[in-house]
Amino acid sequence: MLSLLSEKRIRVLHIVEGTSVDGPGLRTSIYLAGCNHHCPGCHNPDSWNPRGGEERTLDELMQVIAYNEAPVTLSGGDPLQQPEGTRTLIHRIKQELGYNVWCYTGYTWERIEQDPALLDVVRELDVLVEGPFLMAERDISLRFRGSRNQRLIDVQATLSTGHLTLWQ
């Protein structure tokens, strides 16, 4: 009989193995379905539909991640809009594989801090790329983000010090 953790499912649009655009080094990027931010100029508006893509078990995703032996980036859509599955996936990646995990979200850190459920999702992340994409702030020279308002937050340093710490 499968454990409860094994039975969890998450809606996945696409998995990109060996990408270097969603964080440092070669990574496995998993794009999740669903985003209600609807940022004008979004590079992936097909990801907005929460029923898009296909349901995958966390065990299936863990097999792909382990096979690639690479850090992981969760993007979308907005992974925080599938909070239970995203939280459990991050936990399993960290505990079972010990890989570095980044996550992209349209929520700001300040919004996440105000919502215990969202904060619980990001608690084990290494880096959170946060904030909505703003066309007026678009800057193609930035690393790992699309607009100047978005920040790369070192989650562990931020949580341990209580002061927002940017990833360098």
Side-chain angles (χ1 to χ4, degrees), residues 89-109:
L89 181 59
I90 293 166
H91 178 75
R92 289 190 62 189
I93 294 166
K94 297 303 284 183
Q95 296 302 310
E96 296 173 27
L97 302 172
Y99 292 163
N100 176 280
V101 182
W102 282 38
C103 182
Y104 284 76
T105 182
Y107 295 105
T108 63
W109 180 256

Side-chain angles (χ1 to χ4, degrees), residues 14-84:
H14 191 58
I15 299 173
V16 180
E17 301 174 47
T19 182
S20 61
V21 298
D22 294 326
L26 290 179
R27 309 180 71 80
T28 301
S29 287
I30 302 172
Y31 293 84
L32 303 181
C35 183
N36 62 15
H37 303 295
H38 298 178
C39 302
C42 173
H43 79 286
N44 197 8
D46 292 339
S47 69
W48 296 353
N49 182 354
R51 292 186 185 92
E54 62 181 354
E55 270 195 357
R56 303 281 295 267
T57 68
L58 297 189
D59 282 349
E60 290 172 325
L61 295 177
M62 290 298 292
Q63 288 175 359
V64 171
I65 293 164
Y67 173 80
N68 284 298
E69 298 180 338
V72 176
T73 298
L74 302 176
S75 191
D78 190 327
L80 300 190
Q81 293 183 10
Q82 294 190 60
E84 185 176 322

Side-chain angles (χ1 to χ4, degrees), residues 107-168:
Y107 295 105
T108 63
W109 180 256
E110 292 76 14
R111 170 69 174 86
I112 291 167
E113 279 186 311
Q114 294 171 359
D115 186 330
L118 290 178
L119 190 57
D120 192 44
V121 175
V122 305
R123 188 169 303 284
E124 291 185 82
L125 287 173
D126 294 286
V127 173
L128 182 71
V129 183
E130 58 85 50
F133 171 77
L134 298 176
M135 186 60 87
E137 298 286 322
R138 181 175 182 260
D139 184 344
I140 61 170
S141 72
L142 298 171
R143 288 182 68 203
F144 311 129
R145 58 200 164 139
S147 58
R148 288 183 294 277
N149 64 294
Q150 296 171 314
R151 300 174 291 186
L152 284 69
I153 297 178
D154 181 328
V155 174
Q156 297 310 304
T158 298
L159 292 176
S160 69
T161 65
H163 300 288
L164 190 125
T165 305
L166 298 181
W167 178 81
Q168 300 297 324

